Amino acid sequence: MSHVAANAKYAVWNGRHLIAGEWRGAAAGTFEDRNPARPAELLGVYPRATAAEVDAAVVAARKAFAPWRRTSRIRRGDLFDNLARLIQRDLDELAAVMARENGKLLNEARAEIVEGLHMVQYVFGTARQPIGEVVASEIEAKDLYVRRKPRGVVAVITPWNFPFAVPLWMLGPSLLEGNTVVFKPSEETPEIGERLVRLFVEAGFPTGTVNLVHGIGEEAGDALARHEDVDVVCFTGSYDVGSHIRRLAAESGRKTCACEMGSKSAVIVCEDANLDLAVQATVLSAFKTTGQRCVSAGRAIVHEKVFDRFAATLVERARGLRFADPFDANAFAGPLVNQAGLDKVLYYNALAGEERATVLLDGGRIAGDDRASGYFASPFIYRQEHRPGVRTIREEVFGPHLAVIPFRDDEHAVEIHNDTPYGLSMAVITEDYRRWRYYRDECEYGMGYVNLPCIGAEVHLPFGGVKRSGNGQPSAAGLVESVTHRTAFTVNHAREIAMAQGMSAQVK
Ligand code: NAD
């Protein structure tokens, strides 16, 4: 098979932190990186950062901050142009590293590297954009400026499911705006994280501007999120960890945080929908990337008049999907990321039965061939009524697990849609322009789509959600507001002082 050849050339990666420009091995323990399609295959061994190493990385970032923020913004931008060229040079290799490490199909891994590249190109372009505004004053001789300034040291803590694009959504705007960073990639995908940092170094980013610490979330991640000299924490990951980071930021009394978290996204299929398009959009939303996108649909909310026809076609299409090695050219999606991810899916599949669901496609662990040792699962689809207390239609599963929920009318569909703690992504399938406008305005979400899957992002849009999905500080193009603060700056061009609001400036 092609993946054997694709994998054969790689040696086990010997991971390193990058602290103050120095590549450092383990001071204490290490952790292993394994291939989720064949867990016996060891991909790399990484140092497990201690609080002291995290501190050294923050100290290095602080030291680099003043010279970096004083560097011309255009010059900072030029380094992103260098970085873009390096990513283009290494595109195929980076995609292969990601596919092996997190189980994403090679084609999808490539698309994610391209998304990261787009972020770098976007950041390069914005270097020459205004950094503020000039506004009028009540006083003729005064000029008022609003200028964005960098906040300082930014901690970047990221998940495994988008291990290249998500870090770049954060590292790109943070660095361009003049901040310095300490980056902690997920312990599930350390190699692609380290490869990215090596490219930053090669592109010429000065010592200390980008620091890398590998490690376990509860150790290195926690130490970084709590560090007193971190100004901003940019986090993407689960709600539980995100809410912990929000608490730490609030307790610090000075730190800000931008948190993108989980979801229970949905595709809403209206009675007038093009059903072929609806099924295709649902399959992509629910099962692409093995349901492991933050925006993956855990719910299809379907009008009762078209429910049976839609469900029958959906099940037929889902049954034919191939979940296999990421390098298998015929695969639709790969494995789950690890044993915990697989166990979670199997738990929720069983829970659906306990919650009196009608199972339409009884997927589960794939056994009986060479996939049996990997974390492979096939689609599980069930009909569930919208009732209070049903957990499977409200909680994030993060795998190929889909509830199909019938609705009576548009108001009912919106009620179902909004009845989860999350609000990240929503697609509505309809031919009626009045109808999609209603869903656009009434549903709670951060990203909305019409006649499309509820997945897919472009870097020049903000990427974020509401409720437990995000704290209103979106990533990608939206991140600039989180990593800068707006200063008001007033200059008097007269020889005497005049105050606004008619206040007297006389000193008697
Ligand atoms: P996770 O929350 O387990 O881990 C995310 C990162 O946080 C990792 O780097 C981890 O090491 C670190 N971490 C863990 N515990 C920590 C702690 N106590 N203190 C500080 N850092 C800690 O999430 P995951 O399993 O890597 O990713 C999947 C989750 O991410 C899903 O819930 C998914 O919806 C979400 N996600 C959201 C978005 C979005 O934009 N909303 C995008 C991608 C993924």
Side-chain angles (χ1 to χ4, degrees), residues 156-162 166 169 184-188 215-225 235-242 244-245 248 259-263 292-295 337 344 396 398 422 424 447 463-465 469-470 475:
V156 170
I157 302 176
T158 53
W160 51 266
N161 69 334
F162 279 84
V166 167
W169 291 354
K184 195 210 85 65
S186 167
E187 53 270 50
E188 299 292 343
I216 308 303
E218 295 79 2
E219 300 168 4
D222 188 74
L224 183 56
F235 169 80
T236 297
S238 61
Y239 170 74
D240 287 347
V241 177
H244 170 67
I245 283 171
L248 291 178
C259 293
E260 291 305 332
M261 300 167 282
S263 94
Q292 296 176 113
R293 288 177 174 242
C294 53
V295 286
V337 71
K344 188 173 182 191
E396 183 180 55
F398 228 53
Y422 298 105
L424 190 60
M447 278 90 61
F463 192 99
S469 292
S475 294

Side-chain angles (χ1 to χ4, degrees), residues 28 71 139-140 158 269 296 394:
T71 302
I139 310 295
E140 213 181 305
T158 53
V269 180
S296 289
R394 294 181 173 85

Side-chain angles (χ1 to χ4, degrees), residues 311-322:
T313 318
L314 173 72
V315 166
E316 188 194 313
R317 294 291 294 274
R319 189 177 275 128
L321 301 174
R322 179 168 165 76

